[in-house]
Amino acid sequence: MRKTSPLSNRWVKCISTEGNIRGVAIQATGLVRDMAKVHGLKGQAARGLGESVMGALLVASYCKTGQRVNLNIQGSGYYSQALVDAYPDGHVRGYLIERTLSEPLDEKFGPWGTGLLSVLRTKADEGEKPYIGTVPLLTGHLAKDLSFYWVQSEQIPSAVGLVVNLEGDVVSSAGGFLIQALPGASPSEVRVIEQHIQEIESLADSLTKDASPIHLLSQIFQSTAFVIMEEKKLEFTCNCSWDRVQRALALVGASELKAMLFEDQSAIVRCDFCTKEYRLDKGMLEQMIQELSS
Ligand SMILES: [Zn+2]
């Protein structure tokens, strides 16, 4: 077993000392492994979930405290949908729905195939509008399509890398990065960084050997001096609760609840994000029906 430190799942943010290039690197091996296990996802499906989770965290890392990022990917490939909520405090939850293809995927596209990628950012303060940006999946590779999202939807030249390595069907390492050119970055500064990113095509290897986000950032920045801005622990948490379950059931309506009571004498509500099950017994259902009917 690999030894894991308490900060083992984390992102590290940095900025070049000139202030023109910023970056965030993620190490999320344990996090992705745990989430895949909870959802019963293995192999390629675990990889798809891991990429989505890290992608959403990369977006959240540059959001304001109090905001929530919702990454919604719909593809025609091996995954039909991934939905991930991520927060600037490093908390994340999400799920992925696999698809069984009747024919092999067109080799032109990555595992996601074609489809849509949406990023919703909720407001942090009163009066602020939620923001939603949607781009088509152009390549079917999440890292490339996320780079396109940043350029297209937020007008920030960006490079994204996402890697989930497998040992058999189990996640053996997971990590990624987002590098962005800020206004004022000179073409030559951008070129140098781009070149280094090209060179670390071996990101997968590098993650297997040394999964430190700081090491990854130093490989990307090399001779460009940078300062570390933030290091944050990442955690899989879900905010589902009895309260939310009851509110959701109230929306279903009294007549539907009566049908559940009649057929099963109970109702089970399962949270998609964390798979936790909430069981309402006969008494609870009767009480809810009474409250909704009065
Ligand atoms: Zn939940």
Side-chain angles (χ1 to χ4, degrees), residues 238 240 271 274:
C238 189
C240 62
C271 174
C274 70

Side-chain angles (χ1 to χ4, degrees), residues 13 22-24 54-64 67 69 71 117-121 131 133-136 138 142-162 177-182:
K13 286 161 72 173
R22 69 182 187 186
V24 51
M54 291 190 293
L57 284 167
L58 289 174
V59 179
S61 72
Y62 283 114
C63 288
K64 281 190 255 176
Q67 277 185 319
V69 167
L71 175 68
L117 182 161
S118 291
V119 174
L120 171 85
R121 289 203 313 250
Y131 167 89
T134 303
V135 294
L138 292 181
L142 189 57
K144 284 181 188 159
D145 287 331
L146 258 182
S147 309
F148 176 69
Y149 160 80
W150 281 105
V151 177
Q152 181 75 12
S153 200
E154 314 235 357
Q155 280 87 47
I156 308 175
S158 305
V160 179
L162 295 169
F177 64 81
L178 166 67
I179 306 295
Q180 301 187 306
L182 300 174

Side-chain angles (χ1 to χ4, degrees), residues 198-242:
Q198 297 289 327
E199 286 165 8
I200 53 163
E201 277 294 308
S202 57
L203 174 66
D205 288 341
S206 145
L207 278 170
T208 321
K209 288 191 204 97
D210 177 1
S212 151
I214 295 174
H215 178 74
L216 190 58
L217 288 172
S218 59
Q219 273 187 301
I220 295 168
F221 279 75
Q222 291 192 19
S223 56
T224 307
F226 65 91
V227 282
I228 302 292
M229 303 297 286
E230 181 188 276
E231 183 160 1
K232 190 146 280 180
K233 193 179 164 195
L234 308 177
E235 256 179 293
F236 170 32
T237 53
C238 189
N239 56 1
C240 62
S241 63
W242 269 110

